Amino acid sequence: MPRKVRISSSETEKKRSLISRLFTYSLPHKSCFVSAFFMLFVAVVSEMAIPWLAKVILDEVIVPQKFDWAQLLGLIGAIFAFYCIASCFSYWQAVTFRHSALLVVNDIRKELFSHVLNFPIKTFDRQPAGKLVSNITNDTESMRDMFVSTFPAMVQGSLRIIAIFIAIALLDWRLMLLSLALIPLLLIIMHLYRRISMPIFDGVRVQVSRINSQLNEYLQGMDLIQAFRREASFQERFEKENRRWLKFRSKAISIDSLMLIPLTRLVATFTAAVIVAWFAVESFHSVIEVGTLFAFLSYIERFFDPFRQLSMELRKLQVATVGSKRVFELLDSESDHEKHLQLPVELENSRNIEFRNIYFSYDEGTPVLKNVNFVAKGGEFTAIVGPSGSGKSSLVNLLMRFYEPQSGEILIGGQSLYSIPDIQLRELVGLVSQDPIIFSGSILENIDLSNHVSDLKTASYAAQQVQANQFIEKLKGGYNHTPGHSGTSLSIGEKQLVALARALSHDPDIFLLDEATANIDSETEESVKRAIEKFKDGRTVVCVAHRLSTIRNADQILVMNKGQIVQRGTHDELVTQMGNYRDLYLAQKEQEENVLLDSSFGLSTSTV
């Protein structure tokens, strides 16, 4: 892994550190870059030889009219050969640079995504998904541009300028000194362009990131936007952000149009006029060679090309610097890579769970859980119920180690939850959430998600246990069926059954069901209830439930309210006690009776 460079407080040193760190990713591919630089050197030298050969033809053959055909054909052949060499080596170096840059970006993206995969869950609460996508795609792409064009352009420009100065010095050292005087002027133009353009291109990058985040949010909530007929409102919001992007882009185009070509071309034209005037004055005192004048003008024209090119590449360099800054900030942010390096710990009973005096808050402010204490014994079914916002799902999040409590202790098998390696914990626990996620790929790959190579036998057995096989086998392709983006071809109930089979596929000791029956129909709920009965066979089941019918057979029911456990016991015990559970039970019972009554009334009226 490339070493991390410490970034100082100075802005200049920060940029140097970023670029230095970025170049460490090229070290594994240095042979490709060395080859590309060699080919670039050959291409530049060959290109710079052409005006000199043209000078020889003019001064030694055409002007004196000494037509030595062998010499003339030899010089023309040499020009043609150098053109071919310059063209071929330019092509090869461009291909090699691009291939090398792709390898570098591939390494950066792999490291970046690996880092994101190990982020604590709380990181995703703060980072918009669109911003992370922009970091992994757009920002790394701008870093690619640096290796493909910016860095080669800087080296090529430097080689060209050196070669041109050598050639001009051999022609006339006084004109070489005149050319040297142009460099400060061109550097001032480049510096002005950089100072003016950088804030604008920073704004472009920020605005693109904002648009990506906004689009991601809008597309995910498109059903609500259309349901509430808010298309016009969200269109206006999007157009507002897009106008800001257009404003920044328009400024960038104006600056490029003014400073990149017209200004440098003006200086080039002025320089050419000075050189012609110089030769005109010299012609009064001595004979001026036409070939020398042609060579001077050719070299001076080439002399400005690197500065124009470098001015254009400064923009890409700035974008790459901003992109690399964002990427490295992401790479330097908190991650849990070390969690995979821990050795397994010995557990007394991997099915026993204990919460001791747990206090927890998501934002270090309002407590979500307060002094929570309970034990879920191995092989028992523990249910957690309560109104929305009472802290039920937070218990699951803590048990999955997605978040850490501010105080208290969570034990599994007598060991602290935070002493158990991540791999061991994930093998111990199977999670089914309220909103099942279906990834791109087949049903088989979605069920057997814990293995690198999906196993049909394992997946089909898990599906049979939760009765998901009944609808899977009816699908086209069966377990190889691809349900589309986010499982669009599956119902909510079918998605939940796939999620249950997924949790069962790696045979965990502990099952966590976080309101797994909240959004499913009664038929699927019965399948879930039967699955829970099978899960209980030697395993610990912790079920956060909204529907009390799902958890009537629980060995222990914990009733949550305002972050605290206010009641605990079995269903039969709690319904006889005055309290939250009884109120919740009676409310749901009344609701079910009303639904049944409405259904019966509808049936009777239709038959009258």
Side-chain angles (χ1 to χ4, degrees):
M1 184 184 296
R3 61 184 178 89
K4 292 184 179 180
V5 178
R6 186 175 179 177
I7 299 176
S8 68
S9 58
S10 168
E11 284 300 318
T12 303
E13 290 183 8
K14 280 183 180 181
K15 290 176 181 178
R16 288 175 181 171
S17 297
L18 285 171
I19 294 172
S20 174
R21 182 174 175 182
L22 184 56
F23 279 128
T24 61
Y25 286 88
S26 67
L27 295 180
H29 315 289
K30 58 184 177 182
S31 58
C32 294
F33 283 102
V34 169
S35 300
F37 283 129
F38 172 74
M39 288 184 280
L40 180 60
F41 174 79
V42 173
V44 170
V45 171
S46 301
E47 182 185 352
M48 292 301 106
I50 293 171
W52 190 276
L53 291 173
K55 168 195 174 303
V56 173
I57 291 176
L58 287 171
D59 290 342
E60 297 184 12
V61 179
I62 296 178
V63 172
Q65 296 186 349
K66 296 178 181 179
F67 290 101
D68 184 343
W69 290 105
Q71 181 188 17
L72 180 61
L73 292 176
L75 290 170
I76 293 173
I79 290 176
F80 179 76
F82 276 118
Y83 263 121
C84 290
I85 293 172
S87 300
C88 291
F89 276 83
S90 293
Y91 168 76
W92 289 334
Q93 65 88 16
V95 170
T96 306
F97 267 122
R98 280 166 172 75
H99 176 69
S100 304
L102 290 176
L103 294 176
V104 170
V105 171
N106 181 59
D107 291 345
I108 294 173
R109 279 183 178 164
K110 283 195 299 184
E111 182 181 346
L112 188 58
F113 188 64
S114 173
H115 192 75
V116 170
L117 284 175
N118 290 284
F119 272 169
I121 295 298
K122 62 184 179 182
T123 304
F124 297 99
D125 297 337
R126 302 189 303 264
Q127 292 272 19
K131 184 177 183 298
L132 290 174
V133 170
S134 181
N135 290 146
I136 297 172
T137 55
N138 296 343
D139 290 337
T140 53
E141 194 67 17
S142 69
M143 295 161 79
R144 182 193 70 85
D145 290 338
M146 179 177 175
F147 286 101
V148 169
S149 58
T150 305
F151 189 41
M154 293 173 67
V155 175
Q156 185 181 42
S158 301
L159 289 175
R160 277 186 170 185
I161 291 170
I162 292 170
I164 287 169
F165 272 121
I166 293 172
I168 291 177
L170 292 174
L171 291 171
D172 192 316
W173 63 270
R174 293 168 296 178
L175 285 177
M176 183 203 65
L177 295 177
L178 174 63
S179 302
L180 278 174
L182 293 173
I183 291 181
L185 178 60
L186 293 172
L187 291 177
I188 290 172
I189 294 174
M190 290 175 63
H191 177 70
L192 288 174
Y193 173 77
R194 175 177 162 276
R195 288 288 298 273
I196 296 172
S197 65
M198 277 187 177
I200 295 172
F201 287 110
D202 282 349
V204 171
R205 299 293 297 178
V206 169
Q207 202 56 33
V208 168
S209 180
R210 287 171 61 92
I211 289 174
N212 284 341
S213 298
Q214 195 179 61
L215 279 173
N216 182 69
E217 178 183 314
Y218 292 172
L219 292 175
Q220 287 184 348
M222 190 59 69
D223 53 345
L224 290 177
I225 293 174
Q226 294 184 1
F228 285 90
R229 300 186 59 81
R230 302 297 295 167
E231 294 93 339
S233 174
F234 281 87
Q235 175 72 25
E236 184 179 346
R237 292 186 194 179
F238 179 77
E239 288 180 0
K240 183 179 179 181
E241 295 295 337
N242 212 34
R243 281 195 297 271
R244 289 178 181 171
W245 170 85
L246 180 61
K247 182 179 178 181
F248 280 115
R249 269 297 179 191
S250 299
K251 287 182 179 179
I253 291 171
S254 299
I255 291 170
D256 285 354
S257 301
L258 172 65
M259 302 191 72
L260 284 184
I261 297 177
L263 206 55
T264 52
R265 186 168 289 172
L266 179 64
V267 176
T269 303
F270 175 76
T271 304
V274 170
I275 290 174
V276 171
W278 172 280
F279 275 96
V281 172
E282 284 293 307
S283 67
F284 291 115
H285 309 290
S286 58
V287 177
I288 300 299
E289 295 179 333
V290 175
T292 302
L293 176 60
F294 172 81
F296 262 116
L297 294 176
S298 297
Y299 283 126
I300 288 298
E301 182 183 1
R302 286 172 167 81
F303 175 75
F304 286 95
D305 287 341
F307 288 96
R308 275 196 292 263
Q309 191 175 7
L310 287 173
S311 295
M312 295 176 67
E313 294 302 329
L314 279 175
R315 180 183 66 186
K316 293 181 181 178
L317 179 62
Q318 171 64 9
V319 172
T321 302
V322 173
S324 61
K325 179 183 176 183
R326 293 177 179 175
V327 167
F328 292 142
E329 283 176 352
L330 205 59
L331 284 173
D332 292 339
S333 59
E334 180 185 2
S335 189
D336 293 334
H337 284 288
E338 292 78 10
K339 66 187 179 182
H340 299 298
L341 306 178
Q342 295 174 274
L343 296 176
V345 298
E346 187 175 347
L347 305 175
E348 295 174 4
N349 186 336
S350 60
R351 298 175 178 86
N352 284 350
I353 301 169
E354 184 177 359
F355 276 60
R356 292 181 182 173
N357 306 317
I358 292 296
Y359 286 83
F360 172 66
S361 172
Y362 286 102
D363 56 5
E364 305 291 338
T366 305
V368 177
L369 297 175
K370 295 173 284 188
N371 195 29
V372 173
N373 293 272
F374 73 89
V375 175
K377 294 180 181 179
E380 290 189 352
F381 175 16
T382 297
I384 304 171
V385 299
S388 298
S390 60
K392 306 185 300 295
S393 295
S394 297
L395 291 175
V396 174
N397 288 335
L398 291 180
L399 195 52
M400 286 299 296
R401 208 161 63 191
F402 293 154
Y403 300 88
E404 294 184 23
Q406 275 69 46
S407 65
E409 192 173 18
I410 303 173
L411 304 176
I412 293 182
Q415 294 282 353
S416 171
L417 178 67
Y418 295 93
S419 69
I420 301 174
D422 187 74
I423 293 177
Q424 186 179 6
L425 178 64
R426 302 308 175 211
E427 290 175 350
L428 286 173
V429 181
L431 173 66
V432 182
S433 62
Q434 178 179 349
D435 299 312
I437 302 296
I438 302 298
F439 295 98
S440 58
S442 65
I443 296 288
L444 171 62
E445 291 168 337
N446 269 279
I447 292 177
D448 200 18
L449 198 61
S450 59
N451 295 318
H452 292 292
V453 179
S454 299
D455 179 49
L456 178 59
K457 184 178 179 181
T458 301
S460 59
Y461 175 78
Q464 287 171 13
Q465 294 300 301
V466 299
Q467 299 181 340
N469 62 309
Q470 297 178 6
F471 82 86
I472 293 175
E473 292 169 358
K474 295 178 183 178
L475 298 172
K476 183 179 180 181
Y479 286 90
N480 293 317
H481 175 76
T482 302
H485 176 68
S486 299
T488 50
S489 65
L490 302 179
S491 67
I492 292 293
E494 290 170 342
K495 290 180 184 179
Q496 197 62 277
L497 290 176
V498 170
L500 285 165
R502 177 192 298 158
L504 184 63
S505 65
H506 68 281
D507 193 24
D509 290 339
I510 300 170
F511 273 97
L512 303 180
L513 292 91
D514 187 5
E515 301 207 40
T517 61
N519 298 322
I520 58 178
D521 55 60
S522 57
E523 182 180 350
T524 307
E525 183 186 1
E526 288 299 318
S527 298
V528 173
K529 287 165 67 176
R530 287 192 291 269
I532 290 175
E533 290 299 319
K534 292 182 180 180
F535 290 166
K536 287 173 59 179
D537 184 18
R539 301 184 181 93
T540 301
V541 178
V542 177
C543 178
V544 174
H546 175 72
R547 295 179 181 177
L548 301 185
S549 57
T550 309
I551 50 95
R552 286 190 179 187
N553 297 327
D555 299 295
Q556 174 184 213
I557 298 174
L558 306 177
V559 184
M560 302 284 298
N561 190 27
K562 297 181 180 179
Q564 295 178 304
I565 298 176
V566 293
Q567 285 181 286
R568 67 182 76 206
T570 64
H571 172 75
D572 293 337
E573 293 170 349
L574 293 173
V575 292
T576 61
Q577 301 174 10
M578 297 300 293
N580 293 50
Y581 187 84
R582 178 181 171 86
D583 295 341
L584 190 61
Y585 171 73
L586 293 175
Q588 288 195 12
K589 185 178 180 181
E590 182 181 358
Q591 184 180 12
E592 290 172 2
E593 290 174 349
N594 289 336
V595 171
L596 184 62
L597 182 62
D598 291 343
S599 176
S600 300
F601 181 76
L603 179 62
S604 62
T605 54
S606 64
T607 56
V608 171

